[in-house]
Amino acid sequence: MSGAPGDRWPLERAADDEAALDMDRLFRSEAPRLRLWFSARTRDIDAANDMVQETFLRLSSNEAHLRLRNPAAWLQRVARNLLIDKARRDASRQAHLHVPLDEAMDAGVAPDQAARIEAGQLLESYERAIAQLTERTRQVFLLHRVEGLSYRQIAERLAISVSTVEYHMMRALAHLDRVLDDA
């Protein structure tokens, strides 16, 4: 052979052609999966496409790819590393935008007047509904909801059965539902 750049041994050309075919097959089989994987994590199809290209560029520029037993696993590892690098770059680019909040300086927003009025009306309706309950039902309801007693504790305190406590609680809740739905 004359040694010109285009002149190579036929076996070298055949090996290069086979490697190119292997790379093409690998790209066709793995690129869609990687694109979906990147898209799901970046939520940006353009960035996902760029990262797929970068993954295969790294594979093709590494001579070891010819000896890989599982190139798909290698691609996944490169893809994960690319995603980590992207996250680090994005974080460093946006670091100047981070402003810590000082809770003492940033007081919570007070509810608007309409929300305060509505809450007040709802509370009045609730109190009125409780006042409309029979004495025993109101007593059971308040012992459970205000004092936090269990049904068994209420039954013992009032010398009634647990099923009677359940009955009064059902009556109270049904009444409150009716009254507050109308409010």
Side-chain angles (χ1 to χ4, degrees):
M1 290 278 149
S2 65
D7 294 342
R8 293 192 323 215
W9 292 96
L11 289 176
E12 287 179 42
R13 278 195 308 255
D16 287 347
D17 291 345
E18 186 63 32
L21 281 173
D22 287 346
M23 183 63 74
D24 183 60
R25 279 188 224 115
L26 185 62
F27 183 82
R28 289 177 190 275
S29 68
E30 294 299 317
R33 184 184 58 77
L34 285 173
R35 189 172 295 109
L36 285 173
W37 190 81
F38 281 126
S39 294
R41 283 153 182 81
T42 63
R43 307 261 187 243
D44 180 356
I45 192 67
D46 292 329
N49 286 328
D50 291 344
M51 293 175 86
V52 168
Q53 293 298 320
E54 179 66 24
T55 303
F56 277 93
L57 178 66
R58 289 188 183 189
L59 176 65
S60 66
S61 65
N62 185 347
E63 289 296 320
H65 82 275
L66 299 172
R67 295 181 301 276
L68 291 174
R69 288 187 187 166
N70 188 351
W74 193 89
L75 286 169
Q76 187 63 42
R77 175 166 287 201
V78 170
R80 187 174 47 244
N81 291 341
L82 283 172
L83 195 60
I84 290 168
D85 292 345
K86 180 185 181 327
R88 286 180 183 150
R89 280 192 312 274
D90 290 351
S92 68
R93 279 189 215 130
Q94 295 176 1
H96 70 282
L97 299 176
H98 177 72
V99 179
L101 293 177
D102 182 3
E103 291 182 25
M105 293 178 61
D106 297 327
V109 176
D112 64 344
Q113 185 176 7
R116 283 194 307 265
I117 292 171
E118 186 177 331
Q121 290 171 344
L122 185 60
L123 181 60
E124 286 174 11
S125 296
Y126 181 75
E127 289 171 346
R128 194 171 37 255
I130 290 175
Q132 293 170 351
L133 295 172
T134 63
E135 180 61 32
R136 178 61 70 154
T137 302
R138 181 175 45 254
Q139 187 179 23
V140 168
F141 179 79
L142 293 175
L143 285 172
H144 182 65
R145 290 294 173 102
V146 176
E147 294 188 28
L149 298 180
S150 69
Y151 286 7
R152 180 167 305 288
Q153 290 170 325
I154 296 170
E156 289 171 2
R157 182 180 285 185
L158 300 178
I160 58 176
S161 69
V162 173
S163 61
T164 304
V165 172
E166 291 172 347
Y167 167 78
H168 285 292
M169 282 301 295
M170 285 189 306
R171 284 191 59 191
L173 293 173
H175 179 72
L176 288 169
D177 278 347
R178 276 192 311 276
V179 170
L180 296 178
D181 278 346
D182 294 339

